[in-house]
């Protein structure tokens, strides 16, 4: 049997049942909106973390037109805690472009999908293959690992990406390309895992060049990790009549468009104030130490809202600020 036949035969028996996925053998046609939404949410995030958010989004905004018409602040609040908040801003921009430029229907080619805001090469390929059955070359982290091992590609990432893509391209079948891509994703997530791969159960192990190697976990070869710098910042706790003052961060940059506690810019140097409480938080490229300082009044020039402390869960604060709030409330309890 060919590579794709073995893989698809395994997928037909072992596919993960995910809320955005049509199970193999079912007659339903995938909804491009649900496929796109899931793929955007899954970037840099685990299936376990995404499942609840996906259910909430599709219940609240069941179509791309519903999402396009949504209030920005509501969408950003619903995204809170999922991280990488530029994805939420791009989500809205893309939904609105699909409605304005394509009549509310996602285009079905990689090229047209890539022209939409926030859709890169991976997402365009995934939506084209899964939602529209196009024979696109889909490469996420799981697929990257499977192919790097199967072909024993020793070139370190990110330089290996071209070799991985070139190795995968001729294997993509003209029939069931979406299931093929999802099968590779499942294989990497369940058997060809970063640690302790289960080669004995792998459907493509017979011709895997890395099988049996003591260093199989080393593939794909990762570049050396760079030390993350530490930055520092101050947030302000301004309380009045059972409410606290919240602001909306600028649309661009870290946590863009999210509600937050007010405060100054983050810098490389520790602040002169020790603060009431402090939290340490890790971002992709740096670590942040944020201290909370009590203030009596809000900046009259800053736009914001008095938010009831008893209903802070509904404010949609990102994880960094939720950590500060929890610590502050525990301190005052």
């Amino acid at each position: 049997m060919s590579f794709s036949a073995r893989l698809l035969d395994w997928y037909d028996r072992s596919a993960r049942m995910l809320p955005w996925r049509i199970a193999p053998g079912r007659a339903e046609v995938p909804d491009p909106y649900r496929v796109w939404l899931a793929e955007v949410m899954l970037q840099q995030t685990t299936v376990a973390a995404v499942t609840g958010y996906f259910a909430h989004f599709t219940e609240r905004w069941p179509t791309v037109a519903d999402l396009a018409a949504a209030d920005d602040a509501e969408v950003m609040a619903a995204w809170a805690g999922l991280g990488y908040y530029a994805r939420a801003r791009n989500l809205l921009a893309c939904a609105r472009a699909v409605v304005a430029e394509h009549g509310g229907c996602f285009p079905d080619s990689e090229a047209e999908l890539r022209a939409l805001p926030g859709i890169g090469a991976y997402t365009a390929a995934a939506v084209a293959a899964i939602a529209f059955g196009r024979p696109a070359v889909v490469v996420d982290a799981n697929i990257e690992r499977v192919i790097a091992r199967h072909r024993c590609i020793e070139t370190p990432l990110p330089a290996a990406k071209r070799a991985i893509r070139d190795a995968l391209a001729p294997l993509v079948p003209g029939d069931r390309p979406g299931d093929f891509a999802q099968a590779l994703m499942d294989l990497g997530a369940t058997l060809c895992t970063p640690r302790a791969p289960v080669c004995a159960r792998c459907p493509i192990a017979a011709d895997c060049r890395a099988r049996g190697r003591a260093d199989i976990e080393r593939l794909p070869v990762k570049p050396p990790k760079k030390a993350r710098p530490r930055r520092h910042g101050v947030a302000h706790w301004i309380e009045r009549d059972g409410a606290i003052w919240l602001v909306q961060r600028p649309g661009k940059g870290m946590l863009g468009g999210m509600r937050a506690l007010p405060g100054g810019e983050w810098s490389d140097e520790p602040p002169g104030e020790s603060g009431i409480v402090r939290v340490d938080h890790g971002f992709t490229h740096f670590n942040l130490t944020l201290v909370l300082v009590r203030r009596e009044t809000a900046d009259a020039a800053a736009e914001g809202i008095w938010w009831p402390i008893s209903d802070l869960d509904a404010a949609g604060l990102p994880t960094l600020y939720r950590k500060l709030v929890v610590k502050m409330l525990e301190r005052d309890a």
Side-chain angles (χ1 to χ4, degrees):
M1 295 174 69
S2 68
F3 180 100
S4 63
R6 284 178 283 154
L7 184 67
L8 287 168
D9 180 66
W10 171 81
Y11 181 69
D12 289 341
R13 293 179 281 105
S14 307
R16 291 180 294 174
M17 296 297 103
L18 303 174
W20 47 84
R21 180 182 285 182
I22 301 296
R26 298 285 293 273
E28 292 96 329
V29 175
D31 179 354
Y33 169 64
R34 292 172 68 88
V35 173
W36 162 76
L37 180 61
E39 290 300 336
V40 173
M41 286 185 165
L42 286 164
Q43 294 168 17
Q44 308 285 339
T45 314
T46 65
V47 166
V50 163
T51 301
Y53 284 88
F54 180 84
H56 178 67
F57 264 72
T58 51
E59 179 180 353
R60 191 167 182 180
W61 301 293
T63 70
V64 68
D66 294 322
L67 183 60
D71 177 75
D72 289 43
E74 289 186 13
V75 173
M76 297 305 291
W79 191 276
L82 197 53
Y84 300 93
Y85 294 99
R87 292 180 298 166
R89 299 195 297 273
N90 288 334
L91 201 74
L92 277 168
C94 184
R96 289 164 182 167
V98 168
V99 170
E101 301 168 17
H102 298 277
C105 298
F106 279 85
D108 63 1
S109 72
E110 282 187 83
E112 288 180 293
L113 287 164
R114 285 205 68 176
L116 292 169
I119 293 189
Y122 165 74
T123 304
V127 174
I130 298 169
F132 298 109
R134 304 298 186 195
V137 182
V138 183
V139 185
D140 72 349
N142 280 318
I143 296 174
E144 202 169 67
R145 183 168 58 256
V146 170
I147 300 303
R149 289 174 177 175
H150 190 264
R151 293 306 175 94
C152 202
I153 295 172
E154 296 276 3
T155 306
L157 292 170
K161 290 180 180 290
R162 173 60 66 86
I164 290 169
R165 183 179 177 85
D166 290 347
L168 178 59
L171 302 176
V172 178
D175 183 40
R176 301 180 65 189
D179 283 351
F180 176 81
Q182 292 175 122
L184 281 173
M185 294 174 190
D186 282 10
L187 187 64
T190 62
L191 297 183
C192 195
T193 48
R195 298 286 177 265
V198 190
C199 298
R201 292 168 49 199
C202 177
I204 56 172
D207 51 357
C208 176
R209 297 176 185 174
R211 184 184 184 184
R213 286 182 48 154
D215 64 345
I216 189 172
E217 294 181 356
R218 185 176 61 88
L219 299 173
V221 179
K222 304 287 179 61
K225 284 189 176 181
K226 295 181 179 179
R228 287 191 293 185
R230 179 162 296 279
R231 304 186 70 187
H232 303 266
V234 174
H236 300 153
W237 183 271
I238 307 168
E239 185 176 342
R240 184 184 73 182
D241 300 329
I244 62 169
W245 183 250
L246 299 180
V247 298
Q248 189 165 0
R249 290 182 62 84
K252 294 183 179 180
M254 299 298 298
L255 309 180
M258 301 296 295
R259 290 194 186 101
L261 296 171
E265 297 292 327
W266 303 338
S267 68
D268 295 333
E269 297 299 324
E273 302 167 283
S274 58
I276 308 167
V277 297
R278 57 171 279 173
V279 297
D280 294 310
H281 188 77
F283 290 103
T284 304
H285 301 297
F286 65 93
N287 294 315
L288 175 70
T289 296
L290 196 60
V291 299
L292 187 61
V293 175
R294 193 186 294 273
R295 290 282 186 267
E296 295 301 322
T297 58
D299 182 352
E303 292 187 9
I305 184 172
W306 289 106
W307 198 280
I309 295 175
S310 61
D311 195 33
L312 274 174
D313 286 345
L317 295 175
T319 303
L320 168 64
Y321 291 100
R322 282 195 283 118
K323 286 181 180 179
L324 275 178
V325 167
V326 168
K327 279 197 169 186
M328 182 64 179
L329 296 179
E330 288 175 347
R331 178 186 179 278
D332 286 349

